[in-house]
Amino acid sequence: MKAEGHPEYHTIKVKMTDGTEFETRSTWGNEGDTLSLDIDPTSHPAWTGGKQQLQEGGRVAAFNKRFGGLSLKK
């Protein structure tokens, strides 16, 4: 196996949105760098169970607005 074909695997710090930090091994950045997260499991609604944003003006809404009054009944 070629040694130069693999990225360097080293220790970095990960900073969560609430300010907590932990160390992990990664190929991201350089040894000792800090990766600051914008979204993580402590803040994202998909993990916290909070209200998710729904698209209010989507294609289905536009269709219903345009053709909502039509019916197949005679």
Side-chain angles (χ1 to χ4, degrees):
M1 184 182 321
K2 293 182 181 179
E4 67 273 358
H6 299 280
E8 181 188 344
Y9 195 59
H10 49 269
T11 304
I12 65 165
K13 290 182 183 178
V14 178
K15 184 174 181 180
M16 306 285 269
T17 56
D18 63 356
T20 59
E21 291 184 358
F22 65 92
E23 284 190 3
T24 188
R25 293 179 50 85
S26 175
T27 59
W28 180 86
N30 296 316
E31 179 78 28
D33 282 353
T34 301
L35 174 64
S36 297
L37 300 177
D38 295 330
I39 298 173
D40 63 13
T42 62
S43 66
H44 195 277
W47 289 291
T48 60
K51 184 179 177 186
Q52 296 182 2
Q53 287 183 315
L54 299 175
Q55 185 179 10
E56 295 179 7
R59 296 178 64 95
V60 173
F63 178 85
N64 288 335
K65 182 178 176 184
R66 187 170 179 189
F67 301 109
L70 299 178
S71 67
L72 298 174
K73 298 177 183 177
K74 290 187 177 188

Short mmCIF file of all heavy atoms in Angstrom, two decimals:
data_model
loop_
_atom_site.label_atom_id
_atom_site.label_comp_id
_atom_site.label_asym_id
_atom_site.label_seq_id
_atom_site.Cartn_x
_atom_site.Cartn_y
_atom_site.Cartn_z
N MET A 1 0.84 -1.17 0.00
CA MET A 1 0.00 0.00 0.00
C MET A 1 0.89 1.25 0.00
O MET A 1 1.87 1.31 0.74
CB MET A 1 -0.89 -0.02 1.25
CG MET A 1 -1.85 1.10 1.29
SD MET A 1 -2.90 1.20 2.77
CE MET A 1 -3.31 -0.44 3.14
N LYS A 2 0.53 2.24 -0.80
CA LYS A 2 1.31 3.46 -0.89
C LYS A 2 1.03 4.35 0.33
O LYS A 2 -0.11 4.61 0.68
CB LYS A 2 0.96 4.23 -2.16
CG LYS A 2 1.36 3.52 -3.42
CD LYS A 2 1.02 4.37 -4.62
CE LYS A 2 1.40 3.67 -5.90
NZ LYS A 2 1.05 4.47 -7.07
N ALA A 3 2.08 4.84 0.94
CA ALA A 3 1.94 5.68 2.14
C ALA A 3 1.41 7.07 1.79
O ALA A 3 0.68 7.68 2.57
CB ALA A 3 3.27 5.80 2.85
N GLU A 4 1.75 7.61 0.61
CA GLU A 4 1.34 8.97 0.26
C GLU A 4 -0.10 9.05 -0.25
O GLU A 4 -0.60 10.12 -0.53
CB GLU A 4 2.30 9.57 -0.77
CG GLU A 4 2.26 8.90 -2.14
CD GLU A 4 3.18 7.70 -2.26
OE1 GLU A 4 3.90 7.37 -1.30
OE2 GLU A 4 3.17 7.10 -3.33
N GLY A 5 -0.80 7.94 -0.34
CA GLY A 5 -2.17 7.95 -0.85
C GLY A 5 -3.23 8.20 0.20
O GLY A 5 -4.41 8.30 -0.12
N HIS A 6 -2.83 8.33 1.46
CA HIS A 6 -3.80 8.52 2.53
C HIS A 6 -3.61 9.87 3.21
O HIS A 6 -2.48 10.31 3.40
CB HIS A 6 -3.64 7.41 3.58
CG HIS A 6 -3.87 6.04 3.01
ND1 HIS A 6 -5.13 5.55 2.82
CD2 HIS A 6 -3.02 5.10 2.57
CE1 HIS A 6 -5.05 4.34 2.30
NE2 HIS A 6 -3.77 4.04 2.13
N PRO A 7 -4.69 10.53 3.61
CA PRO A 7 -4.55 11.82 4.30
C PRO A 7 -4.00 11.62 5.71
O PRO A 7 -4.12 10.55 6.30
CB PRO A 7 -5.99 12.35 4.34
CG PRO A 7 -6.85 11.16 4.21
CD PRO A 7 -6.08 10.16 3.39
N GLU A 8 -3.43 12.68 6.26
CA GLU A 8 -2.89 12.64 7.62
C GLU A 8 -4.04 12.58 8.62
O GLU A 8 -5.00 13.34 8.54
CB GLU A 8 -2.05 13.89 7.87
CG GLU A 8 -1.43 13.93 9.24
CD GLU A 8 -0.77 15.25 9.53
OE1 GLU A 8 -0.52 16.03 8.59
OE2 GLU A 8 -0.51 15.50 10.72
N TYR A 9 -3.94 11.69 9.58
CA TYR A 9 -4.97 11.49 10.60
C TYR A 9 -4.39 12.00 11.92
O TYR A 9 -3.38 11.49 12.41
CB TYR A 9 -5.27 9.99 10.67
CG TYR A 9 -6.53 9.62 11.40
CD1 TYR A 9 -7.76 10.10 11.01
CD2 TYR A 9 -6.48 8.75 12.48
CE1 TYR A 9 -8.92 9.74 11.67
CE2 TYR A 9 -7.62 8.38 13.14
CZ TYR A 9 -8.84 8.87 12.74
OH TYR A 9 -9.99 8.50 13.40
N HIS A 10 -5.00 13.03 12.50
CA HIS A 10 -4.43 13.69 13.66
C HIS A 10 -5.54 14.12 14.64
O HIS A 10 -6.72 13.99 14.35
CB HIS A 10 -3.61 14.91 13.22
CG HIS A 10 -4.36 15.78 12.26
ND1 HIS A 10 -4.27 15.61 10.91
CD2 HIS A 10 -5.25 16.77 12.46
CE1 HIS A 10 -5.06 16.50 10.31
NE2 HIS A 10 -5.67 17.20 11.24
N THR A 11 -5.15 14.68 15.77
CA THR A 11 -6.09 15.11 16.81
C THR A 11 -6.48 16.56 16.60
O THR A 11 -5.63 17.43 16.37
CB THR A 11 -5.45 14.95 18.21
OG1 THR A 11 -5.03 13.60 18.36
CG2 THR A 11 -6.43 15.29 19.30
N ILE A 12 -7.80 16.85 16.65
CA ILE A 12 -8.33 18.22 16.57
C ILE A 12 -9.32 18.42 17.71
O ILE A 12 -9.76 17.47 18.36
CB ILE A 12 -9.03 18.50 15.23
CG1 ILE A 12 -10.27 17.63 15.06
CG2 ILE A 12 -8.08 18.34 14.07
CD1 ILE A 12 -11.19 18.10 13.95
N LYS A 13 -9.69 19.67 17.95
CA LYS A 13 -10.73 20.01 18.92
C LYS A 13 -11.99 20.39 18.15
O LYS A 13 -11.91 21.05 17.12
CB LYS A 13 -10.31 21.18 19.80
CG LYS A 13 -9.22 20.87 20.77
CD LYS A 13 -8.92 22.06 21.64
CE LYS A 13 -7.77 21.76 22.58
NZ LYS A 13 -7.43 22.92 23.41
N VAL A 14 -13.14 19.98 18.65
CA VAL A 14 -14.43 20.34 18.07
C VAL A 14 -15.16 21.20 19.09
O VAL A 14 -15.34 20.80 20.24
CB VAL A 14 -15.26 19.09 17.72
CG1 VAL A 14 -16.61 19.50 17.17
CG2 VAL A 14 -14.52 18.22 16.72
N LYS A 15 -15.58 22.41 18.66
CA LYS A 15 -16.29 23.33 19.55
C LYS A 15 -17.76 23.34 19.15
O LYS A 15 -18.11 23.70 18.02
CB LYS A 15 -15.71 24.74 19.44
CG LYS A 15 -16.33 25.71 20.40
CD LYS A 15 -15.63 27.05 20.35
CE LYS A 15 -16.25 28.01 21.35
NZ LYS A 15 -15.59 29.31 21.31
N MET A 16 -18.64 22.93 20.08
CA MET A 16 -20.07 22.87 19.84
C MET A 16 -20.67 24.28 19.93
O MET A 16 -20.01 25.22 20.36
CB MET A 16 -20.74 21.96 20.88
CG MET A 16 -20.12 20.58 20.96
SD MET A 16 -20.58 19.55 19.62
CE MET A 16 -22.01 18.80 20.31
N THR A 17 -21.93 24.43 19.53
CA THR A 17 -22.57 25.75 19.54
C THR A 17 -22.78 26.28 20.95
O THR A 17 -22.86 27.49 21.15
CB THR A 17 -23.93 25.70 18.83
OG1 THR A 17 -24.75 24.71 19.44
CG2 THR A 17 -23.77 25.39 17.36
N ASP A 18 -22.85 25.39 21.96
CA ASP A 18 -23.03 25.85 23.34
C ASP A 18 -21.70 26.16 24.03
O ASP A 18 -21.66 26.50 25.20
CB ASP A 18 -23.83 24.83 24.15
CG ASP A 18 -23.13 23.49 24.28
OD1 ASP A 18 -22.06 23.31 23.68
OD2 ASP A 18 -23.68 22.61 24.98
N GLY A 19 -20.58 26.04 23.30
CA GLY A 19 -19.27 26.38 23.83
C GLY A 19 -18.47 25.21 24.36
O GLY A 19 -17.29 25.36 24.65
N THR A 20 -19.08 24.05 24.51
CA THR A 20 -18.33 22.89 24.99
C THR A 20 -17.38 22.41 23.90
O THR A 20 -17.64 22.59 22.71
CB THR A 20 -19.26 21.74 25.40
OG1 THR A 20 -20.06 21.36 24.27
CG2 THR A 20 -20.16 22.15 26.55
N GLU A 21 -16.27 21.82 24.32
CA GLU A 21 -15.26 21.33 23.38
C GLU A 21 -14.91 19.89 23.72
O GLU A 21 -15.00 19.47 24.87
CB GLU A 21 -13.99 22.17 23.46
CG GLU A 21 -14.13 23.56 22.94
CD GLU A 21 -12.80 24.32 22.95
OE1 GLU A 21 -11.79 23.76 23.41
OE2 GLU A 21 -12.79 25.47 22.50
N PHE A 22 -14.53 19.15 22.69
CA PHE A 22 -14.00 17.81 22.89
C PHE A 22 -12.95 17.54 21.84
O PHE A 22 -12.91 18.19 20.80
CB PHE A 22 -15.11 16.75 22.87
CG PHE A 22 -15.81 16.60 21.55
CD1 PHE A 22 -15.37 15.69 20.61
CD2 PHE A 22 -16.93 17.38 21.24
CE1 PHE A 22 -16.03 15.54 19.39
CE2 PHE A 22 -17.59 17.23 20.04
CZ PHE A 22 -17.13 16.32 19.12
N GLU A 23 -12.08 16.58 22.13
CA GLU A 23 -11.03 16.21 21.19
C GLU A 23 -11.42 14.94 20.46
O GLU A 23 -12.03 14.04 21.02
CB GLU A 23 -9.71 15.99 21.92
CG GLU A 23 -9.04 17.26 22.34
CD GLU A 23 -7.63 17.03 22.86
OE1 GLU A 23 -7.15 15.87 22.85
OE2 GLU A 23 -7.01 18.01 23.28
N THR A 24 -11.05 14.89 19.18
CA THR A 24 -11.29 13.71 18.37
C THR A 24 -10.18 13.62 17.33
O THR A 24 -9.41 14.55 17.16
CB THR A 24 -12.68 13.76 17.69
OG1 THR A 24 -12.94 12.52 17.06
CG2 THR A 24 -12.77 14.89 16.69
N ARG A 25 -10.14 12.50 16.64
CA ARG A 25 -9.16 12.33 15.57
C ARG A 25 -9.87 12.52 14.24
O ARG A 25 -11.01 12.10 14.07
CB ARG A 25 -8.50 10.97 15.66
CG ARG A 25 -7.63 10.87 16.91
CD ARG A 25 -6.95 9.53 17.08
NE ARG A 25 -6.23 9.05 15.91
CZ ARG A 25 -4.98 9.37 15.58
NH1 ARG A 25 -4.30 10.19 16.33
NH2 ARG A 25 -4.41 8.85 14.51
N SER A 26 -9.21 13.21 13.30
CA SER A 26 -9.84 13.56 12.03
C SER A 26 -8.79 13.81 10.96
O SER A 26 -7.61 13.97 11.27
CB SER A 26 -10.69 14.82 12.22
OG SER A 26 -11.24 15.25 10.99
N THR A 27 -9.24 13.87 9.73
CA THR A 27 -8.37 14.28 8.62
C THR A 27 -8.58 15.76 8.30
O THR A 27 -7.90 16.30 7.45
CB THR A 27 -8.66 13.45 7.36
OG1 THR A 27 -10.03 13.60 7.00
CG2 THR A 27 -8.34 11.99 7.60
N TRP A 28 -9.51 16.41 8.99
CA TRP A 28 -9.80 17.83 8.77
C TRP A 28 -8.69 18.69 9.38
O TRP A 28 -8.21 18.44 10.48
CB TRP A 28 -11.14 18.20 9.43
CG TRP A 28 -11.50 19.64 9.25
CD1 TRP A 28 -12.16 20.20 8.21
CD2 TRP A 28 -11.21 20.71 10.15
NE1 TRP A 28 -12.30 21.55 8.39
CE2 TRP A 28 -11.72 21.89 9.60
CE3 TRP A 28 -10.57 20.79 11.38
CZ2 TRP A 28 -11.61 23.12 10.21
CZ3 TRP A 28 -10.46 22.02 11.99
CH2 TRP A 28 -10.98 23.18 11.40
N GLY A 29 -8.29 19.74 8.70
CA GLY A 29 -7.35 20.72 9.21
C GLY A 29 -5.98 20.15 9.54
O GLY A 29 -5.52 19.19 8.94
N ASN A 30 -5.33 20.79 10.53
CA ASN A 30 -4.00 20.39 10.98
C ASN A 30 -4.05 19.99 12.44
O ASN A 30 -5.04 20.25 13.14
CB ASN A 30 -3.01 21.54 10.79
CG ASN A 30 -2.83 21.90 9.33
OD1 ASN A 30 -2.70 21.01 8.49
ND2 ASN A 30 -2.84 23.19 9.02
N GLU A 31 -2.99 19.38 12.92
CA GLU A 31 -2.89 18.96 14.32
C GLU A 31 -3.16 20.14 15.25
O GLU A 31 -2.57 21.21 15.10
CB GLU A 31 -1.48 18.41 14.58
CG GLU A 31 -1.25 17.96 16.00
CD GLU A 31 -1.85 16.61 16.31
OE1 GLU A 31 -1.98 15.79 15.38
OE2 GLU A 31 -2.19 16.39 17.48
N GLY A 32 -4.11 19.99 16.17
CA GLY A 32 -4.41 21.02 17.16
C GLY A 32 -5.41 22.07 16.71
O GLY A 32 -5.77 22.94 17.50
N ASP A 33 -5.89 22.05 15.46
CA ASP A 33 -6.88 23.03 14.99
C ASP A 33 -8.20 22.83 15.73
O ASP A 33 -8.49 21.75 16.26
CB ASP A 33 -7.13 22.88 13.50
CG ASP A 33 -6.03 23.50 12.65
OD1 ASP A 33 -5.14 24.16 13.23
OD2 ASP A 33 -6.07 23.32 11.43
N THR A 34 -9.04 23.88 15.74
CA THR A 34 -10.35 23.82 16.35
C THR A 34 -11.41 23.98 15.28
O THR A 34 -11.41 24.96 14.53
CB THR A 34 -10.53 24.93 17.42
OG1 THR A 34 -9.52 24.76 18.41
CG2 THR A 34 -11.88 24.86 18.06
N LEU A 35 -12.32 23.01 15.21
CA LEU A 35 -13.45 23.04 14.28
C LEU A 35 -14.66 23.58 15.03
O LEU A 35 -15.14 22.96 15.97
CB LEU A 35 -13.73 21.63 13.75
CG LEU A 35 -14.97 21.46 12.87
CD1 LEU A 35 -14.84 22.26 11.58
CD2 LEU A 35 -15.18 19.99 12.54
N SER A 36 -15.15 24.77 14.66
CA SER A 36 -16.32 25.38 15.29
C SER A 36 -17.56 25.02 14.49
O SER A 36 -17.64 25.31 13.29
CB SER A 36 -16.17 26.89 15.36
OG SER A 36 -15.07 27.24 16.16
N LEU A 37 -18.52 24.39 15.15
CA LEU A 37 -19.74 23.95 14.49
C LEU A 37 -20.79 25.05 14.49
O LEU A 37 -20.95 25.76 15.47
CB LEU A 37 -20.29 22.70 15.18
CG LEU A 37 -19.39 21.48 15.21
CD1 LEU A 37 -20.05 20.36 15.99
CD2 LEU A 37 -19.05 21.03 13.80
N ASP A 38 -21.52 25.21 13.38
CA ASP A 38 -22.65 26.13 13.30
C ASP A 38 -23.93 25.43 13.73
O ASP A 38 -24.82 26.05 14.28
CB ASP A 38 -22.81 26.65 11.87
CG ASP A 38 -21.65 27.49 11.41
OD1 ASP A 38 -21.02 28.15 12.28
OD2 ASP A 38 -21.37 27.51 10.21
N ILE A 39 -24.03 24.15 13.43
CA ILE A 39 -25.19 23.34 13.77
C ILE A 39 -24.69 22.05 14.39
O ILE A 39 -23.77 21.44 13.87
CB ILE A 39 -26.02 23.02 12.51
CG1 ILE A 39 -26.54 24.29 11.88
CG2 ILE A 39 -27.17 22.09 12.84
CD1 ILE A 39 -27.22 24.09 10.54
N ASP A 40 -25.30 21.65 15.49
CA ASP A 40 -24.92 20.39 16.12
C ASP A 40 -26.15 19.78 16.79
O ASP A 40 -27.21 20.39 16.82
CB ASP A 40 -23.77 20.59 17.10
CG ASP A 40 -24.11 21.51 18.26
OD1 ASP A 40 -25.30 21.81 18.48
OD2 ASP A 40 -23.19 21.91 18.98
N PRO A 41 -26.03 18.57 17.32
CA PRO A 41 -27.20 17.91 17.92
C PRO A 41 -27.81 18.63 19.12
O PRO A 41 -28.94 18.36 19.48
CB PRO A 41 -26.64 16.55 18.35
CG PRO A 41 -25.49 16.31 17.46
CD PRO A 41 -24.89 17.66 17.20
N THR A 42 -27.09 19.57 19.73
CA THR A 42 -27.66 20.29 20.88
C THR A 42 -28.51 21.48 20.45
O THR A 42 -29.25 22.03 21.27
CB THR A 42 -26.54 20.81 21.81
OG1 THR A 42 -25.71 21.73 21.09
CG2 THR A 42 -25.71 19.66 22.34
N SER A 43 -28.45 21.88 19.17
CA SER A 43 -29.17 23.07 18.75
C SER A 43 -30.10 22.86 17.56
O SER A 43 -30.97 23.69 17.31
CB SER A 43 -28.18 24.19 18.40
OG SER A 43 -27.42 23.84 17.27
N HIS A 44 -29.94 21.80 16.80
CA HIS A 44 -30.73 21.61 15.58
C HIS A 44 -32.09 20.98 15.89
O HIS A 44 -32.16 20.01 16.65
CB HIS A 44 -29.95 20.75 14.59
CG HIS A 44 -30.51 20.80 13.21
ND1 HIS A 44 -31.57 20.03 12.82
CD2 HIS A 44 -30.18 21.56 12.15
CE1 HIS A 44 -31.86 20.30 11.56
NE2 HIS A 44 -31.02 21.23 11.13
N PRO A 45 -33.19 21.51 15.32
CA PRO A 45 -34.53 20.97 15.60
C PRO A 45 -34.70 19.51 15.23
O PRO A 45 -35.54 18.83 15.82
CB PRO A 45 -35.46 21.84 14.74
CG PRO A 45 -34.68 23.06 14.42
CD PRO A 45 -33.24 22.68 14.46
N ALA A 46 -33.95 19.00 14.30
CA ALA A 46 -34.09 17.59 13.92
C ALA A 46 -33.71 16.67 15.08
O ALA A 46 -34.24 15.58 15.21
CB ALA A 46 -33.22 17.28 12.70
N TRP A 47 -32.79 17.11 15.95
CA TRP A 47 -32.37 16.31 17.09
C TRP A 47 -33.05 16.73 18.38
O TRP A 47 -33.22 15.92 19.28
CB TRP A 47 -30.85 16.39 17.28
CG TRP A 47 -30.10 15.68 16.22
CD1 TRP A 47 -30.04 14.33 16.02
CD2 TRP A 47 -29.29 16.26 15.20
NE1 TRP A 47 -29.24 14.04 14.94
CE2 TRP A 47 -28.76 15.21 14.42
CE3 TRP A 47 -28.95 17.57 14.87
CZ2 TRP A 47 -27.92 15.43 13.35
CZ3 TRP A 47 -28.12 17.77 13.80
CH2 TRP A 47 -27.62 16.72 13.06
N THR A 48 -33.43 18.00 18.50
CA THR A 48 -34.01 18.48 19.75
C THR A 48 -35.53 18.32 19.79
O THR A 48 -36.12 18.47 20.85
CB THR A 48 -33.68 19.97 19.98
OG1 THR A 48 -34.22 20.74 18.90
CG2 THR A 48 -32.18 20.18 20.09
N GLY A 49 -36.16 18.05 18.65
CA GLY A 49 -37.61 17.88 18.62
C GLY A 49 -38.35 19.20 18.53
O GLY A 49 -39.56 19.25 18.72
N GLY A 50 -37.67 20.28 18.25
CA GLY A 50 -38.31 21.59 18.13
C GLY A 50 -39.10 21.71 16.84
O GLY A 50 -39.14 20.81 16.01
N LYS A 51 -39.75 22.85 16.69
CA LYS A 51 -40.55 23.09 15.50
C LYS A 51 -39.65 23.22 14.27
O LYS A 51 -38.69 23.97 14.28
CB LYS A 51 -41.36 24.37 15.67
CG LYS A 51 -42.29 24.65 14.51
CD LYS A 51 -43.09 25.92 14.73
CE LYS A 51 -43.94 26.20 13.52
NZ LYS A 51 -44.64 27.47 13.62
N GLN A 52 -39.99 22.48 13.24
CA GLN A 52 -39.23 22.56 12.00
C GLN A 52 -39.90 23.54 11.06
O GLN A 52 -41.12 23.67 11.05
CB GLN A 52 -39.14 21.19 11.34
CG GLN A 52 -38.38 20.18 12.16
CD GLN A 52 -38.28 18.84 11.45
OE1 GLN A 52 -38.75 18.69 10.35
NE2 GLN A 52 -37.67 17.89 12.11
N GLN A 53 -39.09 24.24 10.29
CA GLN A 53 -39.64 25.19 9.34
C GLN A 53 -40.23 24.44 8.15
O GLN A 53 -39.60 23.55 7.59
CB GLN A 53 -38.56 26.14 8.83
CG GLN A 53 -38.13 27.15 9.85
CD GLN A 53 -37.13 28.11 9.26
OE1 GLN A 53 -36.19 27.70 8.57
NE2 GLN A 53 -37.31 29.38 9.51
N LEU A 54 -41.45 24.80 7.81
CA LEU A 54 -42.10 24.21 6.65
C LEU A 54 -42.17 25.25 5.55
O LEU A 54 -42.35 26.44 5.81
CB LEU A 54 -43.51 23.74 7.01
CG LEU A 54 -43.61 22.67 8.09
CD1 LEU A 54 -45.07 22.40 8.41
CD2 LEU A 54 -42.93 21.40 7.63
N GLN A 55 -42.08 24.80 4.34
CA GLN A 55 -42.15 25.71 3.21
C GLN A 55 -43.61 26.06 3.00
O GLN A 55 -44.44 25.22 2.70
CB GLN A 55 -41.56 25.05 1.97
CG GLN A 55 -41.48 25.99 0.79
CD GLN A 55 -40.86 25.30 -0.42
OE1 GLN A 55 -40.66 24.10 -0.42
NE2 GLN A 55 -40.58 26.07 -1.43
N GLU A 56 -43.96 27.34 3.17
CA GLU A 56 -45.35 27.76 3.08
C GLU A 56 -45.77 28.10 1.66
O GLU A 56 -46.93 28.01 1.32
CB GLU A 56 -45.59 28.96 4.00
CG GLU A 56 -45.41 28.61 5.46
CD GLU A 56 -45.61 29.79 6.37
OE1 GLU A 56 -46.02 30.86 5.86
OE2 GLU A 56 -45.37 29.66 7.57
N GLY A 57 -44.86 28.52 0.85
CA GLY A 57 -45.20 28.92 -0.50
C GLY A 57 -44.66 27.96 -1.53
O GLY A 57 -44.15 28.38 -2.56
N GLY A 58 -44.80 26.66 -1.29
CA GLY A 58 -44.24 25.66 -2.18
C GLY A 58 -45.10 25.44 -3.41
O GLY A 58 -46.09 26.13 -3.69
N ARG A 59 -44.74 24.44 -4.19
CA ARG A 59 -45.43 24.14 -5.45
C ARG A 59 -46.86 23.67 -5.21
O ARG A 59 -47.76 24.00 -5.97
CB ARG A 59 -44.63 23.09 -6.22
CG ARG A 59 -43.25 23.63 -6.64
CD ARG A 59 -42.44 22.59 -7.35
NE ARG A 59 -43.02 22.18 -8.59
CZ ARG A 59 -42.72 22.68 -9.78
NH1 ARG A 59 -41.82 23.63 -9.86
NH2 ARG A 59 -43.29 22.25 -10.87
N VAL A 60 -47.08 22.88 -4.16
CA VAL A 60 -48.43 22.40 -3.87
C VAL A 60 -49.32 23.57 -3.47
O VAL A 60 -50.47 23.66 -3.92
CB VAL A 60 -48.40 21.32 -2.76
CG1 VAL A 60 -49.80 20.94 -2.33
CG2 VAL A 60 -47.62 20.11 -3.22
N ALA A 61 -48.80 24.50 -2.68
CA ALA A 61 -49.58 25.66 -2.28
C ALA A 61 -49.93 26.52 -3.49
O ALA A 61 -51.05 27.04 -3.60
CB ALA A 61 -48.81 26.48 -1.25
N ALA A 62 -48.99 26.68 -4.41
CA ALA A 62 -49.25 27.46 -5.62
C ALA A 62 -50.31 26.78 -6.49
O ALA A 62 -51.19 27.44 -7.05
CB ALA A 62 -47.96 27.65 -6.42
N PHE A 63 -50.24 25.45 -6.58
CA PHE A 63 -51.24 24.71 -7.36
C PHE A 63 -52.63 24.86 -6.73
O PHE A 63 -53.61 25.14 -7.42
CB PHE A 63 -50.86 23.22 -7.42
CG PHE A 63 -51.85 22.38 -8.16
CD1 PHE A 63 -51.79 22.27 -9.54
CD2 PHE A 63 -52.86 21.71 -7.48
CE1 PHE A 63 -52.70 21.49 -10.23
CE2 PHE A 63 -53.78 20.94 -8.16
CZ PHE A 63 -53.70 20.83 -9.54
N ASN A 64 -52.71 24.69 -5.41
CA ASN A 64 -54.00 24.81 -4.73
C ASN A 64 -54.56 26.23 -4.82
O ASN A 64 -55.77 26.41 -4.92
CB ASN A 64 -53.87 24.38 -3.27
CG ASN A 64 -53.71 22.89 -3.13
OD1 ASN A 64 -54.13 22.12 -4.00
ND2 ASN A 64 -53.10 22.47 -2.04
N LYS A 65 -53.70 27.21 -4.80
CA LYS A 65 -54.15 28.59 -4.94
C LYS A 65 -54.73 28.82 -6.33
O LYS A 65 -55.75 29.50 -6.49
CB LYS A 65 -52.97 29.54 -4.69
CG LYS A 65 -53.34 31.00 -4.76
CD LYS A 65 -52.11 31.87 -4.47
CE LYS A 65 -52.45 33.34 -4.62
NZ LYS A 65 -51.27 34.18 -4.42
N ARG A 66 -54.11 28.24 -7.34
CA ARG A 66 -54.55 28.44 -8.72
C ARG A 66 -55.76 27.60 -9.08
O ARG A 66 -56.68 28.05 -9.75
CB ARG A 66 -53.39 28.11 -9.65
CG ARG A 66 -53.64 28.44 -11.08
CD ARG A 66 -52.38 28.32 -11.89
NE ARG A 66 -52.67 28.62 -13.29
CZ ARG A 66 -51.83 28.44 -14.28
NH1 ARG A 66 -50.63 27.98 -14.02
NH2 ARG A 66 -52.17 28.74 -15.51
N PHE A 67 -55.78 26.34 -8.64
CA PHE A 67 -56.83 25.41 -9.05
C PHE A 67 -57.67 24.89 -7.90
O PHE A 67 -58.43 23.94 -8.05
CB PHE A 67 -56.21 24.21 -9.78
CG PHE A 67 -55.42 24.58 -11.00
CD1 PHE A 67 -54.05 24.49 -11.02
CD2 PHE A 67 -56.09 25.03 -12.15
CE1 PHE A 67 -53.33 24.82 -12.14
CE2 PHE A 67 -55.36 25.37 -13.28
CZ PHE A 67 -53.98 25.27 -13.28
N GLY A 68 -57.56 25.47 -6.74
CA GLY A 68 -58.26 24.97 -5.55
C GLY A 68 -59.78 25.01 -5.65
O GLY A 68 -60.45 24.20 -5.04
N GLY A 69 -60.32 25.91 -6.43
CA GLY A 69 -61.78 26.03 -6.54
C GLY A 69 -62.41 25.05 -7.51
O GLY A 69 -63.63 24.92 -7.57
N LEU A 70 -61.62 24.36 -8.29
CA LEU A 70 -62.15 23.42 -9.28
C LEU A 70 -62.54 22.11 -8.61
O LEU A 70 -61.92 21.67 -7.67
CB LEU A 70 -61.11 23.16 -10.37
CG LEU A 70 -60.65 24.36 -11.20
CD1 LEU A 70 -59.59 23.93 -12.17
CD2 LEU A 70 -61.81 24.98 -11.94
N SER A 71 -63.58 21.50 -9.14
CA SER A 71 -63.96 20.18 -8.66
C SER A 71 -64.40 19.33 -9.84
O SER A 71 -64.72 19.84 -10.91
CB SER A 71 -65.08 20.28 -7.62
OG SER A 71 -66.26 20.74 -8.24
N LEU A 72 -64.45 18.02 -9.65
CA LEU A 72 -64.84 17.10 -10.70
C LEU A 72 -66.34 16.84 -10.70
O LEU A 72 -66.86 16.18 -11.58
CB LEU A 72 -64.08 15.78 -10.57
CG LEU A 72 -62.56 15.90 -10.70
CD1 LEU A 72 -61.90 14.56 -10.41
CD2 LEU A 72 -62.19 16.38 -12.11
N LYS A 73 -67.03 17.34 -9.70
CA LYS A 73 -68.48 17.13 -9.59
C LYS A 73 -69.23 17.98 -10.61
O LYS A 73 -68.85 19.09 -10.91
CB LYS A 73 -68.98 17.47 -8.18
CG LYS A 73 -68.36 16.59 -7.12
CD LYS A 73 -68.84 17.02 -5.75
CE LYS A 73 -68.16 16.20 -4.67
NZ LYS A 73 -68.53 16.64 -3.35
N LYS A 74 -70.33 17.43 -11.16
CA LYS A 74 -71.11 18.17 -12.15
C LYS A 74 -72.44 18.60 -11.58
O LYS A 74 -73.01 18.07 -10.74
CB LYS A 74 -71.33 17.31 -13.40
CG LYS A 74 -70.06 17.13 -14.16
CD LYS A 74 -70.32 16.43 -15.46
CE LYS A 74 -69.02 16.32 -16.22
NZ LYS A 74 -69.18 15.83 -17.54
#
